[in-house]
Amino acid sequence: MTPSGRDNRNGEQQSGNTARPRPGFRQESERLVLTNQTFSLAFSTAANGTLVSLFHRELQREIIDPAEAVAEGILWRLHVTTGDDKPSSFTNRTCGAFSHSLSPDRDQALRLRLEWTELRVGAAHVPGKIVATIIFPGAGPCALFELEIELPQHISVTAVEFPCLCAVGSSEPLTEESLFLPLSGGVLVSEPRMAMSASGPSARWQIDYPGPASLQMLGYCCGPGTTAWIDSRDPSGSRKSFIADQMAHSNRLLLSITHHPPSSKPGVWSPGYPSAVGVLRGDWFEAARVYRNWASRQVWCERGWGGGRRLPLLTSSYGLWASYWGDARGAVAVARSLQRLVNAPVKLDWRSWHHCARNGAYPDYFPPRDGAEVFSDFKRQLSDAGMLTQLSLDGLLASPESETWQNDDLQQYALAPASHTPAEEIASAPSGLVPICPATTYWREKLVSFCRQLIELRTEGLHLEHLADAHPFSCAQEQHGHPSPTPSQWADAVRSILADIRPLLGTRVHLAVDGPCETFLDLSEAFFSTHPAAEREGLFAEHKHLRCAPIPLFSAVYHDYATLVGPGASLENPRPHDPLWPTETVRELREPSSLMDRDYYTQFCLEVARAALWGHQLLLSNFFPQQGRAERNHPKLAFLAAVLRAQAWGVGALLPYSEFMGPLIIECPPISLDLLINPPGSAPEQRESIRRSVPPVLGSAWRVRGSGITLTLVNIHHQPVEFATQLRSSRFSVSLPIQLIGRTFSEDGDVPGATLRASGTDIGGHLPARSIVLVTLR
């Protein structure tokens, strides 16, 4: 079930017989230099083929410190085991012989072949060779890197770090730098070298794909207007890790991708896909658009809005999602109360419909908690009121306390990680639940059976939790009936499950998973994501000393191919709970009271604003009617209702089907706010509040078919704010002079309206308190 790409190359559009410029090559005394009109690469012969220069020619900006790269850098590192299972590693620098050759490639590109022999593994010299091929284009901002490994049969490769960008860091002020990472929907780390230097070893990032990493790229923005990145062009979903770390003896960065060979392939191996190294004028958004050139032509993009896919009503209809943790009797009251408060249709994401407690005796889901007859009656009431519902079940976890565990002997199907899989990855399951190997026929058939039963309950949607965003485990249990671990084992297994379920649903019932993750884009209608609420959800908990913020990296690539639902913000601070949970467990969710009783109103507005600006369908978590009667929740509901009005009005209703042009850089006086950190499964002592300075005005831009450019601006502050932004010529093509047509939505009844002005491509104005403004450019 692995998707296959049509082309793993740069993804540039071909245009008839147009002549392509030729790249250049020169050999200097100790360097091999490839160059085109945009950028150049240089490999050091003195450092055995290490990449020592990544240079943007137009901007005259060097990304790598050449001297440090020559002294300490590497291009690749191989982790291996020998015949006695002794682990070892070696790099291109430790090889005894290095050579190169040059040949032409198609489309006027050049192929630079770098070869290493006389390998040294530990203290032993072994035969074999490592070959890296760099495919350098005549035009464009990036080159492709391929690797082939040939070792004796008694040596097995366990991991490969390639390509490695070492000594990354410009001479620009450190305050103007940032690092972007593929964690969840995307993360931006400001001033990474300054912050990581103070943090020591804990500053290292490792993000595994597929699952925790939503796509296959990471990069570095140096100063105003220059970005370097590395990515993988892998359509198979093979397991890999994206690494950002510090160099050993400086504050410069090391960026790399770790690939994981199959355990049954000693000696000879190649990833089977290229990686890319590039540099361009612009920021992370422009780099994401280059990646999109390749990504949008993969099989996972053949479905979706961009691929002409017909979507179920639950996916495509306007409204507010409500995550509900109660019984059938309360479902109707919750939906009706919330619909009245926000004056918008409500779509129910029902998390505790099943017989067992949530995170309890999975997978003993049936019969429904209130009995089949009562459940059907209340479900009918919801349908009669025009309220759509999706039911959730866990796609990965099971409990040793369940009857199914005992009756079906589920222990035999439990995930058995390969030896190189970190044990802590397995330990992340909540409440003692155990991951079941998704590659087993038993589990796939079990989930299909559950989904058939849910369809019989006449639900409009299914939500498979903990499957698409889980760590990509490798299972080594031979009794499971699957082959020995391969790099794509996890992605293949998850895709097989989704592919078996998808035909059961037809076009009426939608299938949602957690995410986002590109590998499963074509087999689900929606990704449920708390990414816009990254701070609250503890997404950066291990790196809270760094200045991290979520960015719409995934949306920059896939907005018109994916539906995202979030942020999962709640009117109340404690995390949701199942009514069947013990009283003591529920009480702990409200502790410490000094922290949990505070009102994080502005944080709520920030999370909702991010989701709206990035094109998400809005999700409110854990709503109950009594929350609507609490006075301190009225402003939150009023702000939420204003954003929903904007999503339903005129051009706002077209944004889900429009081209996402990225976030705007807004200039305005910052505000300070307290952010609650309350991750799932956290103990009271792990919860905390951090103070952050943020701009109160956020914005994004869209290209709307038939309407030109539309800007979406949100003021999350309780006071009016003056702002300014500029339409960058590299991203927007607008005719001057610009006429601005604005429509304001606010918690005060949409009055007064925003005051807007334009001078050339500079746009500014005055936004009312807690408002959202849609601005069409004419």
Coordinates of all heavy atoms in Angstrom, one line a residue, residues 571 599 601-602 604-605 627-628 630-642 718 746-748 770:
L571 N -13.0 26.1 26.7 CA -13.4 27.3 27.6 C -12.9 27.1 29.0 O -12.8 28.1 29.7 CB -15.0 27.4 27.6 CG -15.6 27.7 26.3 CD1 -17.2 27.7 26.4 CD2 -15.2 29.0 25.6
D599 N -7.8 32.6 34.3 CA -8.5 32.8 33.0 C -7.4 33.1 31.9 O -6.8 34.2 32.0 CB -9.5 33.9 33.1 CG -10.4 34.0 31.9 OD1 -10.2 33.1 31.0 OD2 -11.2 34.9 31.7
Y601 N -7.8 33.9 28.8 CA -8.7 34.3 27.7 C -7.9 34.7 26.4 O -8.2 34.2 25.3 CB -9.4 35.6 28.2 CG -10.3 36.3 27.3 CD1 -10.8 35.7 26.1 CD2 -10.6 37.7 27.5 CE1 -11.6 36.4 25.2 CE2 -11.4 38.4 26.7 CZ -11.9 37.8 25.5 OH -12.7 38.5 24.7
T602 N -6.8 35.4 26.6 CA -6.0 35.8 25.4 C -5.4 34.6 24.7 O -5.2 34.6 23.5 CB -5.0 36.9 25.8 OG1 -5.6 38.0 26.4 CG2 -4.3 37.4 24.5
F604 N -6.7 31.6 24.6 CA -7.8 31.0 23.9 C -8.0 31.7 22.5 O -8.1 31.1 21.5 CB -9.0 31.1 24.7 CG -10.3 30.6 24.0 CD1 -10.7 29.3 24.0 CD2 -11.1 31.5 23.3 CE1 -11.8 28.9 23.4 CE2 -12.2 31.1 22.6 CZ -12.6 29.7 22.7
C605 N -7.9 33.1 22.5 CA -8.1 33.8 21.3 C -6.9 33.6 20.3 O -7.1 33.5 19.1 CB -8.2 35.3 21.6 SG -9.7 35.8 22.6
Q627 N -20.9 25.6 31.0 CA -19.8 26.5 30.6 C -20.4 27.8 29.9 O -19.8 28.9 30.1 CB -18.8 25.8 29.7 CG -18.1 24.6 30.3 CD -17.2 23.9 29.4 OE1 -17.1 24.3 28.2 NE2 -16.6 22.8 29.8
G628 N -21.4 27.6 29.2 CA -22.0 28.8 28.5 C -22.6 29.7 29.4 O -22.8 30.9 29.1
A630 N -21.4 30.5 32.4 CA -20.3 31.1 33.2 C -20.0 32.5 32.6 O -19.6 32.5 31.4 CB -19.1 30.2 33.4
E631 N -20.0 33.5 33.4 CA -19.8 34.9 32.8 C -18.4 35.0 32.2 O -18.3 35.7 31.2 CB -20.0 35.9 33.9 CG -20.0 37.3 33.4 CD -20.3 38.4 34.5 OE1 -20.9 37.9 35.5 OE2 -20.1 39.6 34.3
R632 N -17.4 34.4 32.8 CA -16.1 34.6 32.3 C -15.9 34.0 30.9 O -14.9 34.3 30.2 CB -15.0 34.2 33.3 CG -14.8 32.7 33.3 CD -13.6 32.4 34.3 NE -13.1 31.1 34.2 CZ -12.0 30.7 34.8 NH1 -11.3 31.5 35.5 NH2 -11.6 29.4 34.7
N633 N -16.8 33.1 30.5 CA -16.6 32.4 29.2 C -17.4 33.2 28.1 O -17.2 32.9 26.9 CB -17.2 31.0 29.3 CG -16.3 30.1 30.1 OD1 -15.1 30.3 30.1 ND2 -16.9 29.1 30.7
H634 N -18.2 34.2 28.5 CA -18.9 34.9 27.5 C -18.0 35.6 26.5 O -18.3 35.6 25.2 CB -19.9 35.9 28.1 CG -21.0 35.3 28.9 ND1 -21.9 36.0 29.7 CD2 -21.4 34.0 29.0 CE1 -22.7 35.1 30.3 NE2 -22.4 33.9 29.9
P635 N -16.9 36.3 26.9 CA -16.1 36.9 25.9 C -15.4 35.9 24.9 O -15.3 36.2 23.7 CB -15.0 37.7 26.7 CG -15.7 37.9 28.0 CD -16.5 36.7 28.2
K636 N -15.1 34.7 25.4 CA -14.5 33.7 24.6 C -15.5 33.3 23.5 O -15.2 33.1 22.3 CB -14.0 32.5 25.4 CG -12.9 32.8 26.4 CD -12.6 31.6 27.2 CE -11.6 31.9 28.3 NZ -11.3 30.7 29.2
L637 N -16.7 33.0 24.0 CA -17.7 32.6 23.0 C -18.0 33.7 22.0 O -18.3 33.4 20.8 CB -19.0 32.2 23.8 CG -18.9 30.9 24.6 CD1 -20.0 30.7 25.6 CD2 -18.9 29.7 23.6
A638 N -18.0 34.9 22.5 CA -18.3 36.0 21.5 C -17.2 36.1 20.5 O -17.5 36.4 19.3 CB -18.4 37.4 22.3
F639 N -15.9 36.0 20.9 CA -14.8 36.0 19.9 C -14.9 34.8 18.9 O -14.8 35.0 17.7 CB -13.5 36.0 20.6 CG -12.3 36.0 19.7 CD1 -11.9 37.2 19.1 CD2 -11.6 34.8 19.5 CE1 -10.8 37.2 18.3 CE2 -10.5 34.8 18.6 CZ -10.1 36.0 18.0
L640 N -15.2 33.6 19.5 CA -15.4 32.5 18.6 C -16.5 32.7 17.6 O -16.4 32.3 16.4 CB -15.7 31.2 19.5 CG -15.8 29.9 18.9 CD1 -14.5 29.5 18.1 CD2 -16.1 28.8 19.9
A641 N -17.6 33.2 18.1 CA -18.7 33.5 17.2 C -18.4 34.5 16.1 O -18.8 34.3 14.9 CB -19.9 34.0 18.0
A642 N -17.6 35.5 16.4 CA -17.1 36.5 15.4 C -16.3 35.8 14.3 O -16.4 36.1 13.1 CB -16.4 37.6 16.1
H718 N -7.5 42.9 23.9 CA -8.8 43.5 24.4 C -8.9 45.0 24.1 O -9.8 45.6 24.5 CB -9.0 43.2 25.9 CG -7.9 43.9 26.8 ND1 -6.8 43.3 27.1 CD2 -7.9 45.1 27.4 CE1 -6.1 44.1 27.9 NE2 -6.7 45.2 28.0
S746 N -16.5 41.3 15.0 CA -15.9 41.5 16.3 C -16.9 41.0 17.4 O -18.1 40.8 17.1 CB -15.5 42.9 16.6 OG -16.7 43.7 16.8
E747 N -16.4 40.8 18.6 CA -17.3 40.4 19.7 C -18.3 41.5 20.1 O -19.2 41.2 20.9 CB -16.4 40.0 20.9 CG -15.5 41.0 21.4 CD -14.6 40.6 22.6 OE1 -14.2 39.4 22.5 OE2 -14.3 41.4 23.5
D748 N -18.1 42.7 19.6 CA -19.0 43.8 20.0 C -20.0 44.1 18.9 O -20.5 45.2 18.7 CB -18.2 45.1 20.2 CG -17.3 45.0 21.4 OD1 -17.7 44.3 22.4 OD2 -16.1 45.5 21.4
R770 N -10.4 42.6 19.8 CA -10.9 41.2 19.6 C -11.7 41.1 18.3 O -12.9 40.8 18.3 CB -11.7 40.8 20.8 CG -10.9 40.8 22.1 CD -10.1 39.5 22.2 NE -8.9 39.6 23.1 CZ -9.0 39.5 24.4 NH1 -10.1 39.4 25.0 NH2 -7.9 39.6 25.2

